[in-house]
Amino acid sequence: LVGPIVLHYVTEFPDFQAVMSSSCTDIREKVKECISRSECMVIGRKSAKECLHPKAEGVSVECKAFINLLYHCKRGQLDQRTRFRGNKYSG
């Protein structure tokens, strides 16, 4: 179900949806770069999905920190309290 307020934002402000969905793109790109350079993918020949698993071996602490930051950024997009203040985890 889509309420009338949401439809108003989508029709009145077409770039509203693009801004909200793209606030974590910088962090997402850093996660992609870090995972692609990790030992898990390079030496272990595992997929990125397997390397994103919390118990995956060969993933550096830096990559895990970026993954955690991405999680909090995406969670901040769903938090209604940040609608007016903005997502504090976005890049």
mmCIF file of all heavy atoms in Angstrom, residues 11-56:
data_model
loop_
_atom_site.group_PDB
_atom_site.id
_atom_site.type_symbol
_atom_site.label_atom_id
_atom_site.label_comp_id
_atom_site.label_asym_id
_atom_site.label_seq_id
_atom_site.Cartn_x
_atom_site.Cartn_y
_atom_site.Cartn_z
ATOM 1 N N THR A 11 5.582 12.271 -6.751
ATOM 2 C CA THR A 11 5.159 13.067 -7.899
ATOM 3 C C THR A 11 5.636 14.513 -7.811
ATOM 4 O O THR A 11 6.033 15.101 -8.798
ATOM 5 C CB THR A 11 3.625 13.058 -8.028
ATOM 6 O OG1 THR A 11 3.057 13.513 -6.806
ATOM 7 C CG2 THR A 11 3.128 11.671 -8.357
ATOM 8 N N GLU A 12 5.627 15.080 -6.601
ATOM 9 C CA GLU A 12 6.007 16.482 -6.427
ATOM 10 C C GLU A 12 7.527 16.664 -6.459
ATOM 11 O O GLU A 12 8.043 17.623 -6.999
ATOM 12 C CB GLU A 12 5.438 16.995 -5.098
ATOM 13 C CG GLU A 12 5.606 18.483 -4.881
ATOM 14 C CD GLU A 12 4.688 19.320 -5.758
ATOM 15 O OE1 GLU A 12 3.632 18.830 -6.176
ATOM 16 O OE2 GLU A 12 5.049 20.478 -6.011
ATOM 17 N N PHE A 13 8.262 15.726 -5.845
ATOM 18 C CA PHE A 13 9.716 15.815 -5.765
ATOM 19 C C PHE A 13 10.325 14.533 -6.332
ATOM 20 O O PHE A 13 10.648 13.607 -5.594
ATOM 21 C CB PHE A 13 10.166 15.985 -4.308
ATOM 22 C CG PHE A 13 9.501 17.109 -3.591
ATOM 23 C CD1 PHE A 13 8.505 16.859 -2.657
ATOM 24 C CD2 PHE A 13 9.850 18.419 -3.857
ATOM 25 C CE1 PHE A 13 7.882 17.899 -1.984
ATOM 26 C CE2 PHE A 13 9.233 19.462 -3.193
ATOM 27 C CZ PHE A 13 8.235 19.202 -2.257
ATOM 28 N N PRO A 14 10.511 14.426 -7.647
ATOM 29 C CA PRO A 14 10.994 13.178 -8.242
ATOM 30 C C PRO A 14 12.406 12.806 -7.814
ATOM 31 O O PRO A 14 12.761 11.638 -7.817
ATOM 32 C CB PRO A 14 10.939 13.447 -9.740
ATOM 33 C CG PRO A 14 10.871 14.914 -9.886
ATOM 34 C CD PRO A 14 10.259 15.457 -8.627
ATOM 35 N N ASP A 15 13.224 13.778 -7.419
ATOM 36 C CA ASP A 15 14.581 13.450 -7.000
ATOM 37 C C ASP A 15 14.655 13.063 -5.534
ATOM 38 O O ASP A 15 15.701 12.663 -5.048
ATOM 39 C CB ASP A 15 15.531 14.604 -7.287
ATOM 40 C CG ASP A 15 15.124 15.894 -6.593
ATOM 41 O OD1 ASP A 15 13.938 16.025 -6.237
ATOM 42 O OD2 ASP A 15 15.996 16.754 -6.410
ATOM 43 N N PHE A 16 13.551 13.131 -4.792
ATOM 44 C CA PHE A 16 13.534 12.760 -3.380
ATOM 45 C C PHE A 16 13.947 11.303 -3.202
ATOM 46 O O PHE A 16 14.782 10.978 -2.379
ATOM 47 C CB PHE A 16 12.139 12.996 -2.785
ATOM 48 C CG PHE A 16 11.965 12.472 -1.391
ATOM 49 C CD1 PHE A 16 12.508 13.154 -0.326
ATOM 50 C CD2 PHE A 16 11.275 11.301 -1.138
ATOM 51 C CE1 PHE A 16 12.354 12.687 0.962
ATOM 52 C CE2 PHE A 16 11.121 10.823 0.137
ATOM 53 C CZ PHE A 16 11.655 11.512 1.191
ATOM 54 N N GLN A 17 13.382 10.426 -4.012
ATOM 55 C CA GLN A 17 13.670 9.005 -3.905
ATOM 56 C C GLN A 17 15.125 8.717 -4.280
ATOM 57 O O GLN A 17 15.779 7.892 -3.664
ATOM 58 C CB GLN A 17 12.725 8.231 -4.797
ATOM 59 C CG GLN A 17 12.639 6.766 -4.452
ATOM 60 C CD GLN A 17 11.526 6.088 -5.212
ATOM 61 O OE1 GLN A 17 11.059 6.608 -6.217
ATOM 62 N NE2 GLN A 17 11.104 4.942 -4.756
ATOM 63 N N ALA A 18 15.655 9.401 -5.252
ATOM 64 C CA ALA A 18 17.033 9.178 -5.678
ATOM 65 C C ALA A 18 18.020 9.605 -4.605
ATOM 66 O O ALA A 18 19.032 8.947 -4.389
ATOM 67 C CB ALA A 18 17.310 9.932 -6.975
ATOM 68 N N VAL A 19 17.733 10.683 -3.892
ATOM 69 C CA VAL A 19 18.632 11.158 -2.842
ATOM 70 C C VAL A 19 18.641 10.184 -1.677
ATOM 71 O O VAL A 19 19.691 9.848 -1.138
ATOM 72 C CB VAL A 19 18.217 12.570 -2.366
ATOM 73 C CG1 VAL A 19 18.972 12.965 -1.120
ATOM 74 C CG2 VAL A 19 18.446 13.579 -3.462
ATOM 75 N N MET A 20 17.491 9.697 -1.275
ATOM 76 C CA MET A 20 17.425 8.778 -0.154
ATOM 77 C C MET A 20 18.109 7.449 -0.473
ATOM 78 O O MET A 20 18.780 6.884 0.363
ATOM 79 C CB MET A 20 15.968 8.523 0.247
ATOM 80 C CG MET A 20 15.320 9.673 0.962
ATOM 81 S SD MET A 20 16.180 10.164 2.469
ATOM 82 C CE MET A 20 15.779 8.791 3.526
ATOM 83 N N SER A 21 17.966 6.954 -1.687
ATOM 84 C CA SER A 21 18.549 5.659 -2.014
ATOM 85 C C SER A 21 20.036 5.756 -2.315
ATOM 86 O O SER A 21 20.733 4.761 -2.299
ATOM 87 C CB SER A 21 17.819 5.031 -3.195
ATOM 88 O OG SER A 21 18.010 5.807 -4.343
ATOM 89 N N SER A 22 20.541 6.935 -2.599
ATOM 90 C CA SER A 22 21.949 7.060 -2.972
ATOM 91 C C SER A 22 22.819 7.624 -1.856
ATOM 92 O O SER A 22 23.977 7.927 -2.086
ATOM 93 C CB SER A 22 22.071 7.948 -4.208
ATOM 94 O OG SER A 22 21.694 9.272 -3.903
ATOM 95 N N SER A 23 22.290 7.754 -0.656
ATOM 96 C CA SER A 23 23.091 8.348 0.409
ATOM 97 C C SER A 23 24.198 7.419 0.890
ATOM 98 O O SER A 23 25.140 7.872 1.518
ATOM 99 C CB SER A 23 22.209 8.768 1.583
ATOM 100 O OG SER A 23 21.633 7.645 2.194
ATOM 101 N N CYS A 24 24.115 6.132 0.604
ATOM 102 C CA CYS A 24 25.128 5.173 1.053
ATOM 103 C C CYS A 24 26.029 4.687 -0.077
ATOM 104 O O CYS A 24 26.792 3.742 0.109
ATOM 105 C CB CYS A 24 24.443 3.970 1.699
ATOM 106 S SG CYS A 24 23.441 4.379 3.130
ATOM 107 N N THR A 25 25.960 5.321 -1.238
ATOM 108 C CA THR A 25 26.711 4.813 -2.388
ATOM 109 C C THR A 25 28.228 4.895 -2.187
ATOM 110 O O THR A 25 28.947 3.993 -2.624
ATOM 111 C CB THR A 25 26.344 5.545 -3.684
ATOM 112 O OG1 THR A 25 26.472 6.942 -3.479
ATOM 113 C CG2 THR A 25 24.941 5.212 -4.105
ATOM 114 N N ASP A 26 28.717 5.938 -1.538
ATOM 115 C CA ASP A 26 30.163 6.046 -1.302
ATOM 116 C C ASP A 26 30.660 4.902 -0.430
ATOM 117 O O ASP A 26 31.700 4.302 -0.712
ATOM 118 C CB ASP A 26 30.501 7.380 -0.631
ATOM 119 C CG ASP A 26 30.218 8.572 -1.511
ATOM 120 O OD1 ASP A 26 30.157 8.386 -2.750
ATOM 121 O OD2 ASP A 26 30.060 9.679 -0.970
ATOM 122 N N ILE A 27 29.914 4.610 0.613
ATOM 123 C CA ILE A 27 30.306 3.529 1.518
ATOM 124 C C ILE A 27 30.204 2.187 0.797
ATOM 125 O O ILE A 27 31.070 1.325 0.949
ATOM 126 C CB ILE A 27 29.425 3.547 2.781
ATOM 127 C CG1 ILE A 27 29.581 4.880 3.506
ATOM 128 C CG2 ILE A 27 29.780 2.399 3.708
ATOM 129 C CD1 ILE A 27 28.576 5.119 4.598
ATOM 130 N N ARG A 28 29.160 2.011 -0.017
ATOM 131 C CA ARG A 28 28.989 0.765 -0.763
ATOM 132 C C ARG A 28 30.161 0.540 -1.710
ATOM 133 O O ARG A 28 30.662 -0.581 -1.858
ATOM 134 C CB ARG A 28 27.678 0.787 -1.539
ATOM 135 C CG ARG A 28 27.383 -0.528 -2.227
ATOM 136 C CD ARG A 28 26.075 -0.523 -2.993
ATOM 137 N NE ARG A 28 24.944 -0.343 -2.113
ATOM 138 C CZ ARG A 28 24.075 0.673 -2.205
ATOM 139 N NH1 ARG A 28 24.212 1.581 -3.142
ATOM 140 N NH2 ARG A 28 23.067 0.763 -1.376
ATOM 141 N N GLU A 29 30.631 1.600 -2.364
ATOM 142 C CA GLU A 29 31.780 1.480 -3.269
ATOM 143 C C GLU A 29 33.046 1.100 -2.504
ATOM 144 O O GLU A 29 33.850 0.303 -2.990
ATOM 145 C CB GLU A 29 31.995 2.788 -4.034
ATOM 146 C CG GLU A 29 30.919 3.078 -5.056
ATOM 147 C CD GLU A 29 30.806 1.994 -6.118
ATOM 148 O OE1 GLU A 29 31.853 1.496 -6.580
ATOM 149 O OE2 GLU A 29 29.668 1.641 -6.463
ATOM 150 N N LYS A 30 33.229 1.657 -1.310
ATOM 151 C CA LYS A 30 34.405 1.303 -0.505
ATOM 152 C C LYS A 30 34.356 -0.157 -0.074
ATOM 153 O O LYS A 30 35.381 -0.830 -0.037
ATOM 154 C CB LYS A 30 34.490 2.212 0.723
ATOM 155 C CG LYS A 30 34.884 3.625 0.367
ATOM 156 C CD LYS A 30 34.969 4.503 1.585
ATOM 157 C CE LYS A 30 35.306 5.921 1.183
ATOM 158 N NZ LYS A 30 35.391 6.830 2.335
ATOM 159 N N VAL A 31 33.156 -0.651 0.238
ATOM 160 C CA VAL A 31 33.012 -2.062 0.598
ATOM 161 C C VAL A 31 33.362 -2.938 -0.602
ATOM 162 O O VAL A 31 34.085 -3.931 -0.468
ATOM 163 C CB VAL A 31 31.581 -2.362 1.107
ATOM 164 C CG1 VAL A 31 31.341 -3.856 1.224
ATOM 165 C CG2 VAL A 31 31.332 -1.696 2.442
ATOM 166 N N LYS A 32 32.878 -2.575 -1.775
ATOM 167 C CA LYS A 32 33.174 -3.353 -2.985
ATOM 168 C C LYS A 32 34.677 -3.414 -3.247
ATOM 169 O O LYS A 32 35.230 -4.480 -3.545
ATOM 170 C CB LYS A 32 32.477 -2.752 -4.196
ATOM 171 C CG LYS A 32 30.999 -2.991 -4.250
ATOM 172 C CD LYS A 32 30.434 -2.345 -5.505
ATOM 173 C CE LYS A 32 28.940 -2.404 -5.571
ATOM 174 N NZ LYS A 32 28.409 -1.734 -6.773
ATOM 175 N N GLU A 33 35.334 -2.261 -3.165
ATOM 176 C CA GLU A 33 36.783 -2.213 -3.396
ATOM 177 C C GLU A 33 37.534 -3.060 -2.380
ATOM 178 O O GLU A 33 38.435 -3.823 -2.735
ATOM 179 C CB GLU A 33 37.285 -0.771 -3.318
ATOM 180 C CG GLU A 33 36.914 0.096 -4.481
ATOM 181 C CD GLU A 33 37.371 1.534 -4.270
ATOM 182 O OE1 GLU A 33 38.306 1.761 -3.474
ATOM 183 O OE2 GLU A 33 36.787 2.433 -4.891
ATOM 184 N N CYS A 34 37.161 -2.903 -1.122
ATOM 185 C CA CYS A 34 37.873 -3.600 -0.050
ATOM 186 C C CYS A 34 37.686 -5.107 -0.158
ATOM 187 O O CYS A 34 38.639 -5.869 -0.009
ATOM 188 C CB CYS A 34 37.378 -3.082 1.296
ATOM 189 S SG CYS A 34 38.414 -3.569 2.670
ATOM 190 N N ILE A 35 36.470 -5.547 -0.414
ATOM 191 C CA ILE A 35 36.204 -6.985 -0.527
ATOM 192 C C ILE A 35 36.909 -7.569 -1.752
ATOM 193 O O ILE A 35 37.454 -8.676 -1.700
ATOM 194 C CB ILE A 35 34.680 -7.250 -0.581
ATOM 195 C CG1 ILE A 35 34.049 -7.001 0.783
ATOM 196 C CG2 ILE A 35 34.371 -8.668 -1.054
ATOM 197 C CD1 ILE A 35 34.473 -7.972 1.864
ATOM 198 N N SER A 36 36.933 -6.823 -2.851
ATOM 199 C CA SER A 36 37.586 -7.353 -4.062
ATOM 200 C C SER A 36 39.097 -7.471 -3.884
ATOM 201 O O SER A 36 39.738 -8.283 -4.561
ATOM 202 C CB SER A 36 37.257 -6.484 -5.268
ATOM 203 O OG SER A 36 37.812 -5.201 -5.120
ATOM 204 N N ARG A 37 39.687 -6.692 -2.974
ATOM 205 C CA ARG A 37 41.128 -6.771 -2.708
ATOM 206 C C ARG A 37 41.464 -7.700 -1.543
ATOM 207 O O ARG A 37 42.631 -7.913 -1.236
ATOM 208 C CB ARG A 37 41.690 -5.378 -2.398
ATOM 209 C CG ARG A 37 41.742 -4.453 -3.594
ATOM 210 C CD ARG A 37 42.408 -3.124 -3.259
ATOM 211 N NE ARG A 37 41.475 -2.265 -2.530
ATOM 212 C CZ ARG A 37 41.654 -1.816 -1.294
ATOM 213 N NH1 ARG A 37 42.737 -2.104 -0.625
ATOM 214 N NH2 ARG A 37 40.761 -1.048 -0.702
ATOM 215 N N SER A 38 40.460 -8.255 -0.882
ATOM 216 C CA SER A 38 40.706 -9.072 0.310
ATOM 217 C C SER A 38 41.287 -10.432 -0.059
ATOM 218 O O SER A 38 41.156 -10.909 -1.184
ATOM 219 C CB SER A 38 39.410 -9.262 1.096
ATOM 220 O OG SER A 38 38.523 -10.100 0.387
ATOM 221 N N GLU A 39 41.919 -11.054 0.923
ATOM 222 C CA GLU A 39 42.491 -12.386 0.733
ATOM 223 C C GLU A 39 41.404 -13.411 0.456
ATOM 224 O O GLU A 39 41.638 -14.409 -0.214
ATOM 225 C CB GLU A 39 43.282 -12.805 1.967
ATOM 226 C CG GLU A 39 44.551 -12.047 2.184
ATOM 227 C CD GLU A 39 45.284 -12.516 3.440
ATOM 228 O OE1 GLU A 39 44.905 -13.556 4.008
ATOM 229 O OE2 GLU A 39 46.238 -11.830 3.839
ATOM 230 N N CYS A 40 40.242 -13.172 0.959
ATOM 231 C CA CYS A 40 39.119 -14.089 0.773
ATOM 232 C C CYS A 40 38.804 -14.269 -0.706
ATOM 233 O O CYS A 40 38.586 -15.395 -1.169
ATOM 234 C CB CYS A 40 37.895 -13.544 1.514
ATOM 235 S SG CYS A 40 36.441 -14.603 1.442
ATOM 236 N N MET A 41 38.814 -13.184 -1.469
ATOM 237 C CA MET A 41 38.519 -13.277 -2.903
ATOM 238 C C MET A 41 39.754 -13.582 -3.729
ATOM 239 O O MET A 41 39.694 -14.346 -4.691
ATOM 240 C CB MET A 41 37.871 -11.984 -3.400
ATOM 241 C CG MET A 41 36.407 -11.862 -3.036
ATOM 242 S SD MET A 41 35.591 -10.507 -3.864
ATOM 243 C CE MET A 41 35.425 -11.148 -5.520
ATOM 244 N N VAL A 42 40.884 -12.983 -3.378
ATOM 245 C CA VAL A 42 42.090 -13.126 -4.193
ATOM 246 C C VAL A 42 42.711 -14.516 -4.028
ATOM 247 O O VAL A 42 42.950 -15.224 -5.012
ATOM 248 C CB VAL A 42 43.110 -12.024 -3.844
ATOM 249 C CG1 VAL A 42 44.407 -12.226 -4.587
ATOM 250 C CG2 VAL A 42 42.525 -10.662 -4.145
ATOM 251 N N ILE A 43 42.966 -14.915 -2.797
ATOM 252 C CA ILE A 43 43.632 -16.196 -2.553
ATOM 253 C C ILE A 43 42.615 -17.327 -2.419
ATOM 254 O O ILE A 43 42.789 -18.404 -2.979
ATOM 255 C CB ILE A 43 44.517 -16.108 -1.285
ATOM 256 C CG1 ILE A 43 45.612 -15.068 -1.515
ATOM 257 C CG2 ILE A 43 45.111 -17.457 -0.931
ATOM 258 C CD1 ILE A 43 46.436 -14.753 -0.303
ATOM 259 N N GLY A 44 41.525 -17.061 -1.693
ATOM 260 C CA GLY A 44 40.528 -18.094 -1.459
ATOM 261 C C GLY A 44 39.614 -18.360 -2.634
ATOM 262 O O GLY A 44 38.897 -19.360 -2.659
ATOM 263 N N ARG A 45 39.602 -17.467 -3.623
ATOM 264 C CA ARG A 45 38.760 -17.606 -4.822
ATOM 265 C C ARG A 45 37.273 -17.789 -4.485
ATOM 266 O O ARG A 45 36.563 -18.544 -5.117
ATOM 267 C CB ARG A 45 39.221 -18.768 -5.688
ATOM 268 C CG ARG A 45 40.632 -18.678 -6.153
ATOM 269 C CD ARG A 45 40.668 -18.111 -7.525
ATOM 270 N NE ARG A 45 42.036 -18.162 -8.030
ATOM 271 C CZ ARG A 45 42.534 -17.244 -8.803
ATOM 272 N NH1 ARG A 45 41.793 -16.229 -9.161
ATOM 273 N NH2 ARG A 45 43.761 -17.325 -9.240
ATOM 274 N N LYS A 46 36.817 -17.068 -3.462
ATOM 275 C CA LYS A 46 35.408 -17.117 -3.082
ATOM 276 C C LYS A 46 34.667 -15.948 -3.707
ATOM 277 O O LYS A 46 35.277 -14.969 -4.132
ATOM 278 C CB LYS A 46 35.270 -17.067 -1.561
ATOM 279 C CG LYS A 46 35.854 -18.268 -0.858
ATOM 280 C CD LYS A 46 35.647 -18.186 0.626
ATOM 281 C CE LYS A 46 36.268 -19.383 1.320
ATOM 282 N NZ LYS A 46 36.130 -19.297 2.769
ATOM 283 N N SER A 47 33.365 -16.049 -3.751
ATOM 284 C CA SER A 47 32.557 -14.958 -4.295
ATOM 285 C C SER A 47 32.449 -13.839 -3.268
ATOM 286 O O SER A 47 32.728 -14.035 -2.079
ATOM 287 C CB SER A 47 31.165 -15.469 -4.659
ATOM 288 O OG SER A 47 30.451 -15.813 -3.494
ATOM 289 N N ALA A 48 32.022 -12.678 -3.721
ATOM 290 C CA ALA A 48 31.858 -11.545 -2.817
ATOM 291 C C ALA A 48 30.792 -11.836 -1.770
ATOM 292 O O ALA A 48 30.921 -11.445 -0.612
ATOM 293 C CB ALA A 48 31.497 -10.292 -3.609
ATOM 294 N N LYS A 49 29.760 -12.545 -2.162
ATOM 295 C CA LYS A 49 28.693 -12.902 -1.217
ATOM 296 C C LYS A 49 29.239 -13.769 -0.089
ATOM 297 O O LYS A 49 28.892 -13.580 1.080
ATOM 298 C CB LYS A 49 27.571 -13.628 -1.956
ATOM 299 C CG LYS A 49 26.398 -13.962 -1.092
ATOM 300 C CD LYS A 49 25.298 -14.624 -1.886
ATOM 301 C CE LYS A 49 24.115 -14.954 -1.000
ATOM 302 N NZ LYS A 49 23.028 -15.578 -1.758
ATOM 303 N N GLU A 50 30.100 -14.721 -0.426
ATOM 304 C CA GLU A 50 30.700 -15.579 0.598
ATOM 305 C C GLU A 50 31.645 -14.793 1.498
ATOM 306 O O GLU A 50 31.730 -15.042 2.700
ATOM 307 C CB GLU A 50 31.449 -16.733 -0.056
ATOM 308 C CG GLU A 50 30.558 -17.721 -0.770
ATOM 309 C CD GLU A 50 31.338 -18.742 -1.572
ATOM 310 O OE1 GLU A 50 32.487 -18.446 -1.998
ATOM 311 O OE2 GLU A 50 30.796 -19.832 -1.775
ATOM 312 N N CYS A 51 32.344 -13.814 0.931
ATOM 313 C CA CYS A 51 33.283 -13.011 1.724
ATOM 314 C C CYS A 51 32.572 -12.001 2.624
ATOM 315 O O CYS A 51 33.154 -11.525 3.599
ATOM 316 C CB CYS A 51 34.262 -12.295 0.806
ATOM 317 S SG CYS A 51 35.396 -13.415 -0.037
ATOM 318 N N LEU A 52 31.330 -11.663 2.300
ATOM 319 C CA LEU A 52 30.573 -10.741 3.148
ATOM 320 C C LEU A 52 29.993 -11.423 4.377
ATOM 321 O O LEU A 52 29.488 -10.756 5.273
ATOM 322 C CB LEU A 52 29.442 -10.087 2.345
ATOM 323 C CG LEU A 52 29.877 -9.025 1.357
ATOM 324 C CD1 LEU A 52 28.693 -8.587 0.507
ATOM 325 C CD2 LEU A 52 30.474 -7.831 2.073
ATOM 326 N N HIS A 53 30.062 -12.730 4.426
ATOM 327 C CA HIS A 53 29.555 -13.465 5.584
ATOM 328 C C HIS A 53 30.372 -13.078 6.820
ATOM 329 O O HIS A 53 31.593 -12.934 6.741
ATOM 330 C CB HIS A 53 29.651 -14.971 5.326
ATOM 331 C CG HIS A 53 28.866 -15.780 6.292
ATOM 332 N ND1 HIS A 53 29.383 -16.224 7.473
ATOM 333 C CD2 HIS A 53 27.578 -16.195 6.250
ATOM 334 C CE1 HIS A 53 28.466 -16.898 8.129
ATOM 335 N NE2 HIS A 53 27.346 -16.897 7.405
ATOM 336 N N PRO A 54 29.727 -12.909 7.972
ATOM 337 C CA PRO A 54 30.451 -12.465 9.174
ATOM 338 C C PRO A 54 31.590 -13.381 9.610
ATOM 339 O O PRO A 54 32.574 -12.917 10.182
ATOM 340 C CB PRO A 54 29.368 -12.432 10.253
ATOM 341 C CG PRO A 54 28.086 -12.329 9.527
ATOM 342 C CD PRO A 54 28.284 -12.994 8.203
ATOM 343 N N LYS A 55 31.496 -14.675 9.332
ATOM 344 C CA LYS A 55 32.540 -15.612 9.767
ATOM 345 C C LYS A 55 33.532 -15.955 8.660
ATOM 346 O O LYS A 55 34.305 -16.901 8.797
ATOM 347 C CB LYS A 55 31.890 -16.884 10.298
ATOM 348 C CG LYS A 55 31.081 -16.649 11.555
ATOM 349 C CD LYS A 55 30.494 -17.916 12.084
ATOM 350 C CE LYS A 55 29.683 -17.631 13.338
ATOM 351 N NZ LYS A 55 29.057 -18.844 13.875
ATOM 352 N N ALA A 56 33.534 -15.201 7.578
ATOM 353 C CA ALA A 56 34.448 -15.476 6.464
ATOM 354 C C ALA A 56 35.881 -15.169 6.880
ATOM 355 O O ALA A 56 36.155 -14.172 7.539
ATOM 356 C CB ALA A 56 34.066 -14.646 5.251
#
